[in-house]
Amino acid sequence: MNHDFGNRQGNTNRRRMGVFLAVATATLQVVAALGLMVIMGSPKGVVADDLSLIEPGQEEQLLELPFLTERLQNNRTGVTRVYDVEVVLKVSSSQVGRVHAELARQGHEFRAAVSHLWRSAEPAHLDEPYLETITRRIQDQMLEFLGRESMTGRPVVREVIVISGTGFPAE
C-alpha cells in the first residue's frame, strides 16, 4: 500500500510542476509583451483618414464594343438549330484602342473561337434565361486572348453581353 501512495504523490508533484511551468511561461510572455510596448512606445505620425468617394475617371468608364453579329449553329440535340447571336464586349475606355487593334489583327480568330464555343455548347446552356454559361465561356476566351490590364490587373474585357434568340431548326 505504501508503494501505491508514493506513486500518487509523485504524479501529483509532476502535475503541480507542469501547472507551475505553464503559469510561469504565460507570465513571462505577458511581461515580455508589456516590455516591448514600453520600449517601442505608441505609434507616431499615424492619422486616421476620412473615407472619401472617388468618382471614376475617364479611364474607368466602361464602353460597349460590338464584337459579333452572326447566325450560329448548334446540333448537339441531333437537329441543327440556328441562333441569331450578338456579342458585345464591355471595355474600359482606356483599353478601347488596344481592343480595336487586337480585333483588327486577330478578329477572325476570336470570332472562330466564339463560333466553336457555340457549336460545342450543351443545349441546356443555350436555353438558360441569361446564357450565363456561354457568357462565362466567352469571357474566359477573351481573357485568354486579350489578357489583363498591366496597371490594375483587371481583365481587359470586363464583361461580355450575349444576346440571342431561342433558335430555330435549320432545314
mmCIF file of all heavy atoms in Angstrom, residues 48-56:
data_model
loop_
_atom_site.group_PDB
_atom_site.id
_atom_site.type_symbol
_atom_site.label_atom_id
_atom_site.label_comp_id
_atom_site.label_asym_id
_atom_site.label_seq_id
_atom_site.Cartn_x
_atom_site.Cartn_y
_atom_site.Cartn_z
ATOM 1 N N ALA A 48 -5.767 58.908 -38.795
ATOM 2 C CA ALA A 48 -6.886 58.268 -39.483
ATOM 3 C C ALA A 48 -7.352 59.170 -40.611
ATOM 4 O O ALA A 48 -7.423 60.382 -40.470
ATOM 5 C CB ALA A 48 -8.025 58.001 -38.507
ATOM 6 N N ASP A 49 -7.666 58.575 -41.751
ATOM 7 C CA ASP A 49 -8.101 59.332 -42.910
ATOM 8 C C ASP A 49 -9.610 59.166 -43.060
ATOM 9 O O ASP A 49 -10.150 58.087 -42.848
ATOM 10 C CB ASP A 49 -7.395 58.803 -44.154
ATOM 11 C CG ASP A 49 -7.626 59.668 -45.372
ATOM 12 O OD1 ASP A 49 -8.080 60.807 -45.204
ATOM 13 O OD2 ASP A 49 -7.346 59.201 -46.489
ATOM 14 N N ASP A 50 -10.270 60.237 -43.411
ATOM 15 C CA ASP A 50 -11.696 60.158 -43.691
ATOM 16 C C ASP A 50 -11.892 59.423 -45.000
ATOM 17 O O ASP A 50 -11.128 59.591 -45.954
ATOM 18 C CB ASP A 50 -12.311 61.560 -43.812
ATOM 19 C CG ASP A 50 -12.346 62.283 -42.482
ATOM 20 O OD1 ASP A 50 -12.391 61.585 -41.454
ATOM 21 O OD2 ASP A 50 -12.310 63.522 -42.483
ATOM 22 N N LEU A 51 -12.921 58.605 -45.037
ATOM 23 C CA LEU A 51 -13.246 57.927 -46.279
ATOM 24 C C LEU A 51 -13.850 58.927 -47.248
ATOM 25 O O LEU A 51 -14.696 59.738 -46.876
ATOM 26 C CB LEU A 51 -14.234 56.792 -46.025
ATOM 27 C CG LEU A 51 -13.710 55.631 -45.205
ATOM 28 C CD1 LEU A 51 -14.847 54.640 -44.959
ATOM 29 C CD2 LEU A 51 -12.572 54.945 -45.904
ATOM 30 N N SER A 52 -13.406 58.865 -48.463
ATOM 31 C CA SER A 52 -13.990 59.742 -49.466
ATOM 32 C C SER A 52 -14.272 58.919 -50.709
ATOM 33 O O SER A 52 -13.527 58.023 -51.059
ATOM 34 C CB SER A 52 -13.038 60.897 -49.795
ATOM 35 O OG SER A 52 -11.823 60.397 -50.301
ATOM 36 N N LEU A 53 -15.365 59.226 -51.332
ATOM 37 C CA LEU A 53 -15.728 58.542 -52.559
ATOM 38 C C LEU A 53 -15.025 59.213 -53.718
ATOM 39 O O LEU A 53 -15.034 60.437 -53.851
ATOM 40 C CB LEU A 53 -17.241 58.584 -52.766
ATOM 41 C CG LEU A 53 -18.057 57.856 -51.710
ATOM 42 C CD1 LEU A 53 -19.540 58.058 -51.980
ATOM 43 C CD2 LEU A 53 -17.719 56.386 -51.703
ATOM 44 N N ILE A 54 -14.418 58.387 -54.542
ATOM 45 C CA ILE A 54 -13.730 58.909 -55.714
ATOM 46 C C ILE A 54 -14.559 58.524 -56.928
ATOM 47 O O ILE A 54 -14.844 57.351 -57.162
ATOM 48 C CB ILE A 54 -12.312 58.327 -55.823
ATOM 49 C CG1 ILE A 54 -11.517 58.707 -54.581
ATOM 50 C CG2 ILE A 54 -11.635 58.802 -57.086
ATOM 51 C CD1 ILE A 54 -10.158 58.040 -54.509
ATOM 52 N N GLU A 55 -14.971 59.524 -57.657
ATOM 53 C CA GLU A 55 -15.734 59.264 -58.880
ATOM 54 C C GLU A 55 -14.818 58.606 -59.898
ATOM 55 O O GLU A 55 -13.650 58.971 -60.024
ATOM 56 C CB GLU A 55 -16.274 60.584 -59.454
ATOM 57 C CG GLU A 55 -17.330 61.224 -58.591
ATOM 58 C CD GLU A 55 -18.587 60.393 -58.490
ATOM 59 O OE1 GLU A 55 -18.972 59.750 -59.477
ATOM 60 O OE2 GLU A 55 -19.173 60.370 -57.396
ATOM 61 N N PRO A 56 -15.326 57.658 -60.631
ATOM 62 C CA PRO A 56 -14.478 57.037 -61.645
ATOM 63 C C PRO A 56 -14.055 58.060 -62.685
ATOM 64 O O PRO A 56 -14.856 58.873 -63.138
ATOM 65 C CB PRO A 56 -15.364 55.941 -62.253
ATOM 66 C CG PRO A 56 -16.739 56.239 -61.806
ATOM 67 C CD PRO A 56 -16.660 57.113 -60.604
#
